[in-house]
Amino acid sequence: MPQTLRLKKNADRRLKAGHLWLYSNEIDIQATPLKELEPGAQAVIEAANGKPLGVAYVNPHSLICARVVSRDADVRLDRSLLVHRFNQALGLRERLFAKPFYRLVHGEGDLLPGLIVDRFDDVLVVQLNTLGMERVRDEVIAALDKVLSPRAIVFKNDSSGRRLEQLESEVAVVHGELPEQVLLEENGVRFVAPVLDGQKTGWFYDHRANRAWLNGLVAGKRVLDLFSYVGGWGVQAAAHGASEVLCIDASEAALERVAENAALNGLHEQVAVGHGDVFEALTALRAEGERFDVVVLDPPAFIKKRKDITNGERAYARLNREAMRLLGRDGLLLSASCSMHLAEERLVECVRGAVRHQDRHGQILYRGGQAGDHPIHPAIPETAYLKALGVRVFRN
């Protein structure tokens, strides 16, 4: 008999509305003691009246104590379900993109909580962010092999989510053989993806559409790319006609990749790099009298938890203010945030405050979010995390 988790009365409302998470305070622990369930095990979720609502995997030690993997109580998270969901996810991406470079699986957005898979043609980079997914790691490998027969599968299991689930870090090639260089193409520009030693899976596909928008406005312009990582924004800007690009990042390894990616596209003369803390670099550039036509702000998440919101908003406000000082009289700011806890209207407020602080005018020309390979689950606001604003900043 499968294990069960029974909900308190009326605690099934979010689940019936489509959500996939259950919190420990929603469980009827008298009827089904949560602590007695094995961490990572699968259980049938029941309403207070005993009616089955679906199947979830469980972690009694996590605030989100269960994550639903199917509304069918007879289904289990196994190789068969994974193959089915991977095929569903693949069908969507093949409708959206002509080439095999995209996020193949986006966790809850693809009804596979805790699982991320990024595709670099025949190389797949996987993140198992929860104990429940960790328990089916072999099934994940087997299902990916059946659906795509990849040359290599890399597990990039070093996320903060794993630490919250008390899982160890692991970065390893778990299937096949990794080529010397893992290449990708985005918006017609080629890049090397550092899948083993880079951030997250090595690349951020989520900004694809936002970069495409900016690429249409950079011809002949001088561009500053802050928090550049491996040059996703800056190298694409150069490829689309920017006269000069300066990429600044705190990671020397990332900047080496910027230079490599610029050279890969024959753009080494247009793209320069600067190493250091971005806030310090902004101060130094201003002191040197530098001015740019376009400034890109794509920082890491300043707000990782709700308690960080106040300090995080201050950081976004300061960053936008200081970056704006480097724009010429009629410049363009691309201001982004990947902080799920920063609402878009708060980012707009940061931009508005920065514009007024310098007695300039601002016009929001573009509002963007994550690309379609990062689908948003309509019942889970947390799956909509990315914001990007294109802002014209000008003087009277």
Side-chain angles (χ1 to χ4, degrees):
M1 287 291 288
Q3 300 179 90
T4 59
L5 262 189
R6 184 163 292 186
L7 301 179
K8 293 176 181 176
K9 189 177 181 182
N10 296 326
D12 58 358
R13 286 176 180 168
R14 271 187 320 105
L15 218 58
K16 287 180 175 177
H19 214 293
L20 303 179
W21 298 349
L22 293 172
Y23 294 94
S24 51
N25 63 0
E26 296 173 321
I27 308 301
D28 181 348
I29 57 174
Q30 301 303 317
T32 53
L34 179 60
K35 298 296 184 187
E36 291 183 10
L37 267 66
E38 183 186 353
Q42 298 182 45
V44 174
I45 306 301
E46 295 180 346
N49 63 4
K51 180 185 177 183
L53 298 172
V55 171
Y57 61 72
V58 179
N59 188 347
H61 307 305
S62 175
L63 176 63
I64 302 171
C65 70
R67 299 173 195 250
V68 174
V69 293
S70 176
R71 302 275 167 187
D72 184 342
D74 295 323
V75 167
R76 295 292 174 269
L77 179 60
D78 56 14
R79 179 178 176 273
S80 176
L81 180 63
L82 288 163
V83 166
H84 175 61
R85 291 276 158 80
F86 291 164
N87 277 317
Q88 286 181 319
L90 180 62
L92 170 64
R93 277 67 181 181
E94 289 182 337
R95 285 163 66 187
L96 294 173
F97 306 113
K99 295 188 177 180
F101 307 105
Y102 42 68
R103 173 152 293 182
L104 175 66
V105 176
H106 186 56
E108 283 79 354
D110 285 296
L111 307 180
L112 287 170
L115 181 64
I116 298 293
V117 183
D118 277 357
R119 184 179 185 187
F120 304 93
D121 193 6
D122 56 1
V123 174
L124 303 177
V125 183
V126 179
Q127 290 185 308
L128 307 172
N129 292 322
T130 55
L131 184 56
M133 278 297 169
E134 178 69 28
R135 288 277 294 265
V136 294
R137 57 185 286 140
D138 292 342
E139 289 86 346
V140 169
I141 295 169
L144 287 172
D145 190 36
K146 179 174 176 58
V147 173
L148 285 169
S149 302
R151 177 177 177 178
I153 299 175
V154 176
F155 274 7
K156 190 72 171 16
N157 291 331
D158 55 359
S159 68
S160 57
R162 278 181 71 87
R163 291 192 290 275
L164 290 173
E165 295 259 326
Q166 300 175 346
L167 292 166
E168 292 183 2
S169 284
E170 168 201 27
V171 178
V173 180
V174 297
H175 174 85
E177 189 174 324
L178 196 65
E180 203 167 298
Q181 277 192 330
V182 177
L183 297 173
L184 71 109
E185 184 180 313
E186 184 180 285
N187 297 325
V189 185
R190 292 185 302 153
F191 292 88
V192 175
V195 299
L196 290 176
D197 56 1
Q199 295 177 25
K200 302 291 178 82
T201 63
W203 183 255
F204 296 92
Y205 283 123
D206 51 2
H207 268 305
R208 179 199 315 254
N210 304 323
R211 293 187 186 116
W213 176 80
L214 187 67
N215 290 343
L217 297 170
V218 296
K221 305 297 184 185
R222 193 164 190 244
V223 178
L224 176 62
D225 180 8
L226 300 168
F227 304 98
S228 68
Y229 185 43
V230 299
W233 294 93
V235 174
Q236 285 193 41
H240 287 84
S243 58
E244 290 179 62
V245 177
L246 175 59
C247 292
I248 293 179
D249 201 275
S251 165
E252 288 187 1
L255 293 175
E256 288 174 10
R257 299 283 187 177
V258 171
E260 183 181 2
N261 288 324
L264 185 66
N265 293 279
L267 301 166
H268 51 281
E269 291 186 2
Q270 289 100 308
V271 180
V273 299
H275 174 245
D277 173 84
V278 163
F279 285 101
E280 292 175 5
L282 286 169
T283 301
L285 288 168
R286 187 175 170 220
E288 293 161 12
E290 295 282 7
R291 288 291 180 272
F292 297 87
D293 304 300
V294 179
V295 175
V296 177
L297 292 180
D298 185 16
F302 290 156
I303 307 172
K304 293 187 175 174
K305 298 175 182 173
R306 285 189 186 278
K307 65 180 179 61
D308 301 330
I309 288 177
T310 301
N311 287 338
E313 286 189 359
R314 284 198 195 107
Y316 282 112
R318 180 187 168 206
L319 181 63
N320 279 273
R321 199 164 55 239
E322 294 306 312
M324 232 173 254
R325 293 179 192 273
L326 292 175
L327 282 172
R329 292 188 63 83
D330 191 352
L332 184 64
L333 177 73
L334 192 294
S335 183
S337 167
C338 61
S339 294
M340 181 265 294
H341 292 294
L342 183 75
E344 187 186 40
E345 57 266 26
R346 297 305 300 162
L347 182 59
V348 170
E349 182 62 18
C350 290
V351 168
R352 184 205 62 77
V355 170
R356 295 312 305 142
H357 186 267
Q358 288 161 64
D359 198 24
R360 296 205 205 184
H361 300 287
Q363 294 171 320
I364 296 176
L365 313 178
Y366 174 81
R367 288 179 182 236
Q370 60 223 58
D373 53 348
H374 292 63
I376 295 165
H377 192 300
I380 308 177
E382 292 87 348
T383 59
Y385 64 94
L386 195 70
K387 282 102 13 201
L389 300 175
V391 187
R392 181 192 186 200
V393 180
F394 61 103
R395 300 188 186 278
N396 273 332

